[in-house]
């Protein structure tokens, strides 16, 4: 880029040498306030209609959000009517508080009080901008000028609220020094303290001081310094709930919120999936599930994140990105071979160890906890490794391939992805497995067979195998005895042209394909040159499955597959 970057004024961080927030940890959920229906809605190309807002509101209630900013009722007749429908239509549960926003302007404040009449629990949220930049270019005033705007509004709201409170309304106050991040901290403290006094806040009747990152203009650690400094300097700290309203202009909204909580904030205003002006508000889903993965109850229910995502996309006409944390379509997939192998091993470790903790590499959260499925975790393309295809075979189709077989089958799958130049589906992986192993029925084919078994006086088992085998147009008979079906079969083919292999290993387990329960046998043979060949046999007969596997391995070896 050209030197036009020189026109930007860098953020000047606060000097806070004895900061304490880096040594703290977040051990409980903040108070959550959704601003989807106001801040999120105003940022939509097509704002939500009444029915969409009602569906969205009820979803927020179902999630467990207890404070919901429903709109800006003095801004338009539509906003006013939505506020009234929520109140008059009985949509608001008794344990949910609605929040309404208003600028610090007398006629808008009056209109807002009319809009909330009859509501049980209300947060009356008023604001005015206090930043250095806005004072200079918008209001053409100084700190005392914006402080007067805030205090005058606070006094008016306090007076108008008397009758509503006397009528039984649980009404609380919230004040936002808009563009807090760009305000001198001592000025922000002074303005907020004056507002606290104007509304007569007490430790028993706290005001919410909402400190917005209206336009994110510094690194999250600098913001945390501001919050810690503000809290230390605020004289009536015990009479205030410190709230954050982070935006995402620098892409750091989540970090800003988390570091702000470390610095002493107690409440977060956020939106589902981060919808909001410009680059958006902080994402409530990400924040909550980040807590969840650290062993902290977020006190919100995202156990069916797909359902919530569907509602969001339907009502807002916005799309949740494929890589959006926790909710995106691809966040529980792994294309890299090494990732696939580690996930596979982690799954096996959890199953075998019986650990009570979630310990799977590359997956910070159990997909099932948010209503997602295990099956889509592994997706196979040209970047996938030996473990991915084996994982799909086990978790999608029940075939537990021996580890020694993984590289060979992985090469078969990778050849296919290279040929098609795209991801292949689990069903296609199964088709490749079936075609290369189960259907490897030539040139040697077992036409008929029988087993005879007896146990001698020492308790040893003796098995005799007799069978008819076809090789191209030749049909021949074989017979042999041994200590089991596999041993007797190898003795039967001894001396035949197909007798070119040493038996190395064998694995068998039950597998369900459709409604049938079958035995599947994996066979590893080694030729005279020391090369290993694998075969797979499947049958209802547990004695026949390994014989099919041996013939599969031989057929693949002599066919060069």
């Amino acid at each position: 880029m050209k030197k036009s970057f020189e026109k930007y004024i860098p953020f000047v961080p606060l000097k806070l040498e004895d900061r304490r927030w880096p040594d703290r940890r977040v051990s409980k959920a903040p108070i959550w306030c959704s601003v989807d229906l106001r801040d999120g809605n105003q940022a939509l190309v097509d704002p939500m209609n009444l029915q969409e807002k009602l569906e969205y509101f009820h979803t927020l209630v179902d999630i467990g959000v207890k404070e919901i900013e429903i709109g800006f009722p003095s801004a338009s007749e539509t906003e006013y009517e939505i506020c009234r429908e929520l109140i008059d239509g009985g949509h608001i549960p008794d344990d949910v508080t609605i929040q309404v926003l208003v600028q610090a302007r007398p006629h808008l404040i009056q209109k807002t009080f009319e809009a909330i009449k009859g509501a049980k629990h209300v947060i009356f949220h008023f604001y005015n901008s206090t930043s250095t930049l806005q004072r200079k270019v918008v209001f053409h005033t100084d700190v005392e000028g914006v402080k007067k705007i805030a205090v005058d509004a606070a006094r008016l709201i306090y007076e108008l609220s008397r009758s509503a409170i006397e009528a039984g309304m649980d009404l609380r106050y919230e004040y936002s020094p808009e563009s807090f991040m760009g305000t001198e901290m001592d000025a922000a403290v002074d303005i907020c303290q004056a507002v606290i006094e104007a509304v007569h806040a007490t430790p028993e009747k706290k005001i919410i001081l909402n400190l917005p990152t209206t336009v994110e203009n510094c690194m999250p650690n600098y913001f945390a310094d501001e919050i810690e400094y503000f809290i230390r300097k605020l004289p009536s700290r015990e009479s205030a709930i410190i709230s954050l309203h982070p935006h995402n202009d620098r892409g750091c909204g989540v970090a800003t919120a988390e570091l702000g909580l470390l610095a002493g904030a107690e409440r977060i205003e956020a939106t589902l999936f981060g919808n909001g002006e410009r680059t958006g508000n902080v994402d409530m889903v990400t924040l909550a599930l980040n807590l969840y993965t650290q062993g902290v109850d977020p006190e919100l229910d995202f156990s069916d994140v797909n359902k919530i995502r569907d509602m969001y996309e339907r009502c807002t006409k916005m799309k949740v990105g494929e890589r959006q944390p926790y909710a995106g379509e691809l966040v529980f997939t792994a294309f890299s071979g090494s990732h696939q192998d580690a996930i596979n091993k982690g799954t096996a470790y959890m199953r075998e160890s019986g650990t009570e903790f979630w310990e799977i590499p590359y997956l910070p959260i159990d997909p099932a906890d948010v209503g997602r499925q295990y099956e889509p975790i592994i997706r196979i393309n040209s970047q996938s490794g030996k473990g991915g295809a084996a994982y799909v075979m086990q978790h999608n189709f029940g075939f537990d391939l021996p580890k020694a077989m993984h590289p060979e089958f992985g090469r078969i799958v990778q050849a296919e992805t290279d040929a098609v130049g795209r991801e292949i589906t689990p069903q296609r992986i199964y088709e490749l497995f079936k075609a290369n192993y189960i259907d490897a029925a030539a040139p040697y084919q077992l036409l008929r067979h029988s087993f005879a078994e007896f146990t001698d006086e020492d308790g040893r088992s003796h098995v005799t195998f007799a069978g008819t085998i076809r090789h191209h147009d030749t049909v021949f008979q074989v017979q042999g005895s041994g200590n089991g079906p596999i041993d007797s079969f190898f003795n039967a083919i001894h001396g035949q042209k197909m007798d070119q292999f040493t038996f190395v290993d064998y694995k068998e387990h039950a597998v369900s394909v459709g409604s049938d329960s079958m035995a599947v046998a994996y066979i590893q043979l080694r030729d005279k040159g020391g090369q290993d060949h694998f075969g797979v046999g499947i049958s209802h007969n547990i004695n026949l499955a390994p014989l099919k596997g041996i013939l599969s391995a031989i057929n693949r070896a002599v066919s060069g597959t």
Side-chain angles (χ1 to χ4, degrees):
M1 296 176 69
K2 295 181 180 179
K3 283 197 172 182
S4 54
F5 64 82
E6 293 176 341
K7 69 186 179 186
Y8 296 102
I9 302 170
F11 182 84
V12 179
L14 187 73
K15 290 187 177 180
L16 189 66
E17 296 178 355
D18 60 339
R19 61 183 60 83
R20 300 172 191 140
W21 62 263
D23 295 325
R24 298 174 184 154
R25 65 181 296 267
V26 179
S27 58
K28 66 176 183 178
I31 301 166
W32 298 104
C33 176
S34 160
V35 292
D36 292 82
L37 301 182
R38 196 278 303 170
D39 207 349
N41 186 59
Q42 75 181 34
L44 297 176
V45 176
D46 298 309
M48 290 180 275
N49 60 34
L50 176 60
Q51 290 308 311
E52 290 166 340
K53 268 203 165 186
L54 289 176
E55 181 181 2
Y56 207 119
F57 178 85
H58 285 292
T59 299
L60 292 169
V61 170
D62 292 342
I63 291 168
V65 182
K66 299 302 183 184
E67 297 181 3
I68 302 173
E69 189 167 86
I70 60 171
F72 202 143
S74 64
S76 70
E77 199 58 34
T78 300
E79 289 285 284
Y80 185 93
E81 289 174 357
I82 288 172
C83 179
R84 290 312 314 167
E85 171 59 28
L86 284 168
I87 296 169
D88 296 334
H91 298 280
I92 308 168
D94 288 344
D95 63 344
V96 171
T97 300
I98 59 169
Q99 181 169 302
V100 288
L101 183 71
V102 63
Q103 290 176 327
R105 300 171 64 183
H107 70 288
L108 299 180
I109 291 169
Q110 291 271 8
K111 181 76 172 178
T112 304
F113 271 104
E114 295 172 14
I116 63 173
K117 187 176 181 181
K120 293 181 180 179
H121 307 284
V122 178
I123 296 171
F124 202 99
H125 182 189
F126 63 106
Y127 73 96
N128 68 303
S129 188
T130 60
S131 72
T132 307
L133 182 61
Q134 293 233 23
R135 294 198 312 263
K136 181 171 74 172
V137 305
V138 177
F139 299 108
H140 306 289
T141 188
D142 56 13
V143 171
E144 287 302 315
V146 294
K147 177 180 175 181
K148 184 176 187 304
I149 294 171
V151 171
D152 287 349
R155 287 172 177 161
L156 176 61
I157 291 166
Y158 180 76
E159 291 303 322
L160 294 176
S161 67
R162 295 301 88 201
S163 58
I165 293 171
E166 289 170 3
M169 180 184 293
D170 170 29
L171 188 144
R172 294 184 284 149
Y173 309 113
E174 177 176 346
Y175 172 66
S176 289
E178 190 194 4
S179 302
F180 166 84
M181 183 180 264
T183 304
E184 305 92 323
M185 284 302 100
D186 289 329
V189 169
D190 183 44
I191 294 168
C192 288
Q193 178 62 28
V195 168
I196 288 174
E197 294 169 4
V199 297
H200 304 279
T202 66
E204 295 72 36
K205 188 72 172 178
K206 298 176 188 278
I207 185 175
I208 299 168
L209 292 181
N210 190 53
L211 309 177
T213 313
T214 308
V215 178
E216 189 179 38
N217 62 357
C218 74
M219 290 188 291
N221 58 306
Y222 294 157
F223 179 74
D225 283 349
E226 290 186 333
I227 297 298
E228 183 169 328
Y229 182 91
F230 177 91
I231 290 173
R232 285 192 203 177
K233 294 291 184 178
L234 187 68
S236 298
R237 166 67 181 98
E238 71 283 358
S239 298
I241 294 170
I242 304 301
S243 175
L244 305 180
H245 182 109
H247 279 250
N248 200 42
D249 299 270
R250 291 170 53 94
C252 299
V254 169
T256 294
E258 292 181 333
L259 269 59
L261 290 174
L262 290 177
E266 306 148 279
R267 181 179 185 267
I268 297 285
E269 295 193 344
T271 61
L272 297 179
F273 309 113
N275 179 41
E277 296 281 11
R278 304 178 308 281
T279 56
N281 287 43
V282 70
D283 179 0
M284 180 183 287
V285 179
T286 300
L287 277 174
L289 292 177
N290 282 357
L291 287 173
Y292 186 84
T293 64
Q294 298 304 304
V296 177
D297 182 1
E299 300 177 12
L300 295 176
D301 182 3
F302 291 114
S303 60
D304 191 350
V305 77
N306 286 342
K307 179 180 178 182
I308 297 166
R309 184 183 67 190
D310 291 346
M311 179 283 303
Y312 168 85
E313 293 184 339
R314 183 173 59 255
C315 291
T316 66
K317 317 299 188 297
M318 299 282 284
K319 175 71 176 173
V320 174
E322 292 179 336
R323 298 291 183 190
Q324 183 91 359
Y326 304 110
E329 182 182 347
L330 298 180
V331 298
F332 295 119
T333 64
F335 292 92
S336 162
S338 62
H339 290 202
Q340 293 167 356
D341 184 57
I343 291 170
N344 194 5
K345 290 174 179 174
T347 304
Y349 167 78
M350 288 195 63
R351 182 176 62 250
E352 294 163 6
S353 69
T355 176
E356 63 184 79
F357 299 105
W358 179 252
E359 296 181 280
I360 293 186
Y362 299 112
L363 295 178
I365 191 172
D366 182 348
D369 287 350
V370 291
R372 305 291 295 271
Q373 297 297 318
Y374 285 102
E375 287 77 10
I377 289 174
I378 299 294
R379 295 170 63 162
I380 305 301
N381 65 12
S382 61
Q383 302 301 305
S384 304
K386 61 185 180 181
Y391 184 97
V392 169
M393 289 304 301
Q394 180 177 1
H395 287 266
N396 290 63
F397 305 105
F399 289 87
D400 186 10
L401 278 61
K403 187 171 181 59
M405 187 178 170
H406 290 188
E408 181 184 277
F409 184 52
R411 287 191 293 271
I412 293 170
V413 172
Q414 191 162 43
E416 172 76 0
T417 61
D418 286 340
V420 300
R422 55 177 168 77
E423 174 192 352
I424 61 175
T425 64
Q427 183 60 37
R428 179 57 183 149
I429 293 169
Y430 173 76
E431 291 169 359
L432 290 169
F433 177 79
K434 184 173 183 293
N436 279 272
Y437 295 99
I438 298 174
D439 295 343
Y444 292 99
Q445 182 181 7
L446 182 63
L447 301 180
R448 289 177 294 278
H449 77 284
S450 64
F451 288 103
E453 182 177 1
F454 73 91
T455 303
D456 63 22
E457 58 186 15
D458 295 324
R460 291 189 294 262
S461 177
H462 298 267
V463 176
T464 298
F465 169 83
T468 303
I469 297 175
R470 173 186 288 150
H471 179 251
H472 296 307
D473 295 329
T474 302
V475 176
F476 57 95
Q477 308 294 323
V478 295
Q479 181 171 322
S481 298
N483 57 19
I486 295 176
D487 188 37
S488 64
F489 180 78
F490 263 93
N491 289 332
I493 65 174
H494 182 65
Q496 300 290 337
K497 187 178 179 180
M498 63 193 296
D499 181 20
Q500 308 172 35
F501 304 92
T502 302
F503 182 82
V504 177
D505 202 4
Y506 158 73
K507 177 182 179 180
E508 188 172 27
H509 65 80
V511 64
S512 294
V513 178
S515 60
D516 297 327
S517 180
M518 312 278 276
V520 59
Y522 309 93
I523 302 294
Q524 182 180 358
L525 304 181
R526 184 167 295 150
D527 63 24
K528 294 177 180 179
Q531 183 176 348
D532 287 346
H533 303 274
F534 292 89
V536 179
I538 187 166
S539 174
H540 290 288
N541 187 325
I542 61 172
N543 290 327
L544 182 57
L547 304 193
K548 286 187 171 183
I550 293 169
L551 289 172
S552 166
I554 293 172
N555 285 333
R556 295 184 68 249
V558 300
S559 301
T561 58

